[in-house]
Amino acid sequence: MSIGKHDTAPVLIAGGGPVGMTLALELAHHGVRSILVERNASTTRHPKMDLTNGRSMELYRRLGLAAKLREVGVPRGNPFDIVWATSGTGHLLHRFAYPSAVEWERRAAQRNDGSFTREAPMRVSQIVLEPVLKAAIDAHPLVDVRFGWAFESLEQDADGVTAVLRRSGSDERTTVRSSWLAGCDGGGSAVRTQLGIALNGQHAVGYVYMVHFRSKARDLLARFGIAWHLQTGAGTLVAQDDGDTWTLHVPMPPTFNPDTDKAGLSPGELLRTFAGTDVPHEVLVANLWTPHLVLAERYRLGRVFLAGDSAHQFIPTGGYGMNTGVGDAVDLGWKLAASINGWAGPALLDSYEQERRPIAQQNMDAAGRNFAVRVQIAEAFFAAMADGPLEEPGESGEQRRDRLAKRIAELGNAENESWGIEHGYRYADSPVIASESAPAPAFDPLRCVPSTAPGSRLPHVFLGEDRALYDELGDGLSLLVLGDHDVGRFVGAAEKMRIPLSVVHLKPGPHLDVLEQPLILVRPDHHVAWRGAAAPDSVERVLGVAAGRH
């Protein structure tokens, strides 16, 4: 395909992974054109993640994608169980049982207390998730999709950004002029490198060997029943589809040297050691990878932004990486759209870094804590094996296994139970959130504490059968009105300021007590911008703060 020189678009997105594609769809949702470039010719072949959490799924629901994504995910009735065993064919040590998506939805409807997400989490491999997003951007007239083109360099001025692109595998180049550029181009981000932005933290937290393979030997690989992860002292086996596709991650010992020891690694032998026996299999992808705990020192320089792995990289203990990136894409997307569509002030785009970077820090710290627990469990395995083989029959072996099982249960599994991290987070000290004198509820990493304190994610509640509060929200700002209140001044001010505002009238009831106040101003990303018992003296100021104009 011939691509003309000096193409233009309001936004250029470098990187066509989940974050870049989500950003393109968020912009298009608000009527904004973008050009998306991706150096690879197709979506990923590498199983980089296997969880799209409930918060990401409710954000995808806004874009009309939740149902399509579930079509390629693990069946909704399958659980999220985490199993620890002595080996794949050995003894069960402990099972952390977690509900399926179907059961999650049942509990959410039954409790209806604001602590759940509008959508249940979903087990899905990134390999099958990306094609769904790719089909959506390919079909959208506002997204100019250019896979097989790599971002190469940029120059920016007061009015925009000029980027040079190169067709992958050739010397053919073209330029794109855009008002804004988003670097969603992964851990080795060329955009971040061009900007000279450093990554701070731990750049190599050991080495892990991945074996992504196909096998129908469920009698060996799913001996303990359906489980999302089967974990032993030798590694973690991820059931990618609860069928025939699996991914084994094997941590390398601290003494491992990739320059001298890598050649001796055998995918088949690693799988045999994990399972405790030979497993018929077909290797799809096998490679060594390095976990990181790093955070960009800044998310913006002029008209260029970073999002996703270009801004933060976490050890996958908790599955926070891509999900944090989806939050980045939605936050940046609606704010860019508001700026391009003419109703935002400069403080709105400034707030992207001020809101999202602290969340990334919070999530990175949680991933580090979860990894420390994994290390403690590994130490418990070594201690147990020091006294004899874990598979040893008889009373002695059983006692060792019992002690190890109790230690695993005692250390717990916060990496799969941190609802506060996943959807109970709050944007504190944001310049586009109206502050209150009363303190907000304390943040609990393990528990979502529902609240409408400004900056909080609006609690999800059902208003009736199959009708949820989230489904009533507009694409711009939404004003929730609980009971009989005159909001004419809000409506008039929004029209005068050309700020899109939807008014949602609600009938009071016990299920809405979680809203705490009768008037709540909600942003497009579900976060509360302001709340009050009555309209303030200056509704213009409230709306101006939410739009970044004060």
Side-chain angles (χ1 to χ4, degrees), residues 5 51 57 77 86 102 109 256 272 279 312 348 373 388 423 444 533:
K5 302 293 183 181
L51 171 73
M57 287 302 294
T86 56
V102 171
F256 179 81
R272 186 184 190 284
V279 178
H312 47 72
L348 192 63
V373 171
H423 61 272
D444 185 343

Side-chain angles (χ1 to χ4, degrees), residues 362 420 424-426 438-451 453 456:
Q362 185 169 277
Y425 58 88
R426 174 175 166 266
F443 173 71
D444 185 343
L446 294 176
R447 190 167 67 94
C448 174
V449 181
S451 173
S456 302

Side-chain angles (χ1 to χ4, degrees), residues 127-426:
I127 290 176
V128 297
L129 176 139
E130 284 194 12
V132 176
L133 299 179
K134 176 68 160 47
I137 61 174
D138 283 341
H140 207 295
L142 293 178
V143 187
D144 182 345
V145 182
R146 304 183 183 183
F147 271 54
W149 283 85
F151 165 86
E152 193 165 81
S153 64
L154 68 88
E155 291 183 359
Q156 59 176 315
D157 52 50
D159 299 317
V161 185
T162 301
V164 177
L165 312 178
R166 179 178 55 81
R167 187 188 288 274
S168 299
S170 78
D171 292 328
E172 183 183 353
R173 287 174 172 78
T174 189
T175 60
V176 170
R177 178 69 175 174
S178 60
S179 298
W180 309 95
L181 189 151
C184 307
D185 51 341
S189 172
V191 174
R192 189 189 64 241
T193 301
Q194 282 275 309
L195 298 178
I197 295 176
L199 289 175
N200 298 321
Q202 301 179 62
H203 287 266
V205 189
Y207 294 92
V208 180
Y209 198 85
M210 178 194 76
V211 183
H212 185 56
F213 65 98
R214 187 174 289 120
S215 174
K216 295 182 179 180
R218 292 188 53 79
D219 57 329
L220 300 176
L221 301 173
R223 179 175 174 229
F224 305 106
I226 293 177
W228 175 22
H229 293 170
L230 170 59
Q231 298 175 163
T232 75
T236 296
L237 181 70
V238 180
Q240 293 287 3
D241 59 3
D242 285 346
D244 65 356
T245 308
W246 318 80
T247 305
L248 176 65
H249 294 281
V250 180
M252 297 292 100
T255 56
F256 179 81
N257 185 330
D259 296 328
T260 57
D261 301 336
K262 182 180 177 180
L265 293 173
S266 164
E269 186 60 30
L270 292 173
L271 180 55
R272 186 184 190 284
T273 299
F274 176 86
T277 187
D278 289 321
V279 178
H281 68 281
E282 173 195 358
V283 174
L284 302 175
V285 181
N287 61 267
L288 193 70
W289 62 279
T290 306
H292 304 281
L293 280 171
V294 292
L295 180 61
E297 61 184 359
R298 60 192 302 180
Y299 276 28
R300 177 186 184 182
L301 186 60
R303 289 180 167 269
V304 185
F305 299 86
L306 302 179
D309 283 358
S310 68
H312 47 72
Q313 296 159 51
F314 312 144
I315 297 172
T317 42
Y320 307 140
M322 189 208 79
N323 290 291
T324 305
V326 170
D328 295 343
V330 171
D331 188 283
L332 178 59
W334 81 262
K335 290 172 179 176
L336 279 171
S339 300
I340 292 164
N341 290 332
W343 61 270
L348 192 63
L349 281 177
D350 288 342
S351 73
Y352 166 65
E353 176 177 327
Q354 293 163 300
E355 291 184 351
R356 292 305 301 171
R357 192 174 183 280
I359 298 303
Q361 179 72 64
Q362 185 169 277
N363 294 356
M364 186 172 73
D365 292 344
R369 291 194 299 271
N370 297 337
F371 178 72
V373 171
R374 289 286 192 105
V375 171
Q376 290 177 285
I377 292 177
E379 291 171 347
F381 265 93
F382 289 132
M385 290 186 292
D387 296 331
L390 283 177
E391 311 292 357
E392 181 181 352
E395 184 177 354
S396 178
E398 186 173 338
Q399 288 177 347
R400 282 197 297 279
R401 291 190 292 272
D402 284 346
R403 287 195 297 270
L404 177 56
K406 289 177 182 177
R407 180 57 176 159
I408 292 171
E410 176 187 87
L411 288 168
N413 192 46
E415 69 178 90
N416 298 113
E417 300 172 3
S418 296
W419 312 128
I421 290 291
E422 293 191 16
H423 61 272
Y425 58 88
R426 174 175 166 266

Side-chain angles (χ1 to χ4, degrees), residues 402-484:
D402 284 346
R403 287 195 297 270
L404 177 56
K406 289 177 182 177
R407 180 57 176 159
I408 292 171
E410 176 187 87
L411 288 168
N413 192 46
E415 69 178 90
N416 298 113
E417 300 172 3
S418 296
W419 312 128
I421 290 291
E422 293 191 16
H423 61 272
Y425 58 88
R426 174 175 166 266
Y427 294 140
D429 303 320
S430 169
V432 295
I433 297 290
S435 60
E436 289 185 338
S437 57
F443 173 71
D444 185 343
L446 294 176
R447 190 167 67 94
C448 174
V449 181
S451 173
T452 57
S456 302
R457 170 187 153 273
L458 180 72
H460 151 61
V461 290
F462 286 104
L463 305 176
E465 188 174 355
D466 296 326
R467 178 171 168 251
L469 177 58
Y470 272 32
D471 300 331
E472 304 298 310
L473 302 176
D475 292 334
L477 300 180
S478 296
L479 182 64
L480 307 186
V481 184
L482 190 59
D484 187 18

